[in-house]
Amino acid sequence: MNKRRLFIASCIALIATAMTFAIRGDILEALRNQFGLNNEQVGEVAGIAFLGFTISIFIGGPLCDAVGMGRLLALAFVCHTLGVLLMIFAPGYWVLWSGSLIGGLGNGLIEAAVNPLIATVYSDQKTEKLNALHVWFPGGIVIGGLLAYFMTKANLGWQIKWATILIPTVIYGVLFLGQRFPATERVQSGVSTGAMFKEVLRPLFLVFAFCMLLTASTELGPNQWIPDVLNPAVGGLGIVVLVWINGL
């Protein structure tokens, strides 16, 4: 098992996830214009990705041991690739919506797999390595946001911007290919699935879960709209504001 390769691949997979967030925020106006969408439909296309994200985390996380982290990551690769291609070649609203949903499912599968993966392979450095891993979510937003900004300056279309997500997707797919994945730390420690689910009822766990709901909803939802909402006020630099926030 190549721990370093698994870690680098996980970081790049998180970059691909974050790039979808940044670039989707940048292209909302272009989607509105090309497909003749109203604001509600634009919100549905953007929002369904977060529903897919949530669903796949809730399903993929508990099934990580039964399915295997490698299979979850392979499925994430398929979802990322298919989601990008469906949106690029979408003839109308429903294919666009479906591409966003499938891409969101891929994002959630990445989160469901790489967190237990890194916690397991670096069981003696969990805090350090998980923090280093998650630096690449804001880092990926910075990368995606800057790419989108400079491609706008070069008068490139939204499809080309969106296609750049395939670059880190292919890279993490190649890096994960053929690797041996460990059983999760829970399995190695002999903790049963039932005992794992019982932990959900602990008061402190519920407090943390509630806090995460608040932080996720206040971060992801509003931030997704920063480029679109601020562009008229800042001369098309809304994506730069998002980059600045995440860079900090």
Side-chain angles (χ1 to χ4, degrees):
M1 183 175 61
N2 189 330
K3 293 168 63 173
R4 178 172 173 77
R5 180 165 170 168
L6 291 175
F7 179 76
I8 293 172
S10 297
C11 292
I12 295 173
L14 208 56
I15 289 173
T17 296
M19 284 178 63
T20 66
F21 181 88
I23 297 175
R24 185 172 53 240
D26 180 75
I27 66 174
L28 291 180
E29 180 65 25
L31 297 180
R32 182 186 289 113
N33 294 336
Q34 176 166 331
F35 294 95
L37 307 179
N38 57 38
N39 286 335
E40 180 181 0
Q41 290 172 317
V42 172
E44 289 169 350
V45 170
I48 197 62
F50 295 110
L51 180 61
F53 183 87
T54 306
I55 289 171
S56 56
I57 286 179
F58 270 92
I59 295 175
L63 291 178
C64 204
D65 297 310
V67 177
M69 289 181 276
R71 290 188 180 92
L72 287 182
L73 290 165
L75 183 57
F77 173 83
V78 172
C79 287
H80 269 154
T81 304
L82 182 59
V84 169
L85 294 177
L86 281 175
M87 288 189 68
I88 289 175
F89 297 105
Y93 169 77
W94 284 110
V95 176
L96 193 69
W97 182 92
S98 299
S100 183
L101 172 62
I102 293 171
L105 290 170
N107 291 344
L109 288 169
I110 291 294
E111 288 281 5
V114 298
N115 284 295
L117 174 61
I118 299 307
T120 299
V121 298
Y122 290 101
S123 58
D124 57 339
Q125 296 175 278
K126 287 182 198 173
T127 302
E128 176 188 348
K129 290 300 184 178
L130 285 171
N131 283 339
L133 170 70
H134 280 277
V135 161
W136 291 106
F137 187 78
I141 292 176
V142 170
I143 292 169
L146 289 176
L147 281 173
Y149 173 74
F150 287 114
M151 283 189 284
T152 298
K153 289 294 185 182
N155 294 316
L156 298 177
W158 69 267
Q159 293 93 338
I160 298 177
K161 295 179 184 179
W162 195 243
T164 59
I165 298 166
L166 293 175
I167 298 172
T169 299
V170 170
I171 293 173
Y172 84 70
V174 170
L175 288 174
F176 279 131
L177 187 65
Q179 294 302 294
R180 185 172 66 85
F181 292 87
T184 62
E185 193 175 18
R186 176 188 71 77
V187 172
Q188 294 182 27
S189 302
V191 177
S192 69
T193 303
M196 176 183 70
F197 279 109
K198 285 181 181 178
E199 295 297 306
V200 174
L201 301 177
R202 293 182 62 177
L204 187 58
F205 182 93
L206 295 173
V207 169
F208 278 134
F210 179 70
C211 290
M212 289 184 70
L213 287 172
L214 294 179
T215 55
S217 60
T218 53
E219 174 196 357
L220 298 177
N223 277 2
Q224 180 72 112
W225 284 94
I226 282 177
D228 190 63
V229 171
L230 293 187
N231 272 341
V234 294
L237 295 176
I239 190 63
V240 177
V241 177
L242 183 65
V243 167
W244 176 253
I245 291 170
N246 284 274
L248 292 176

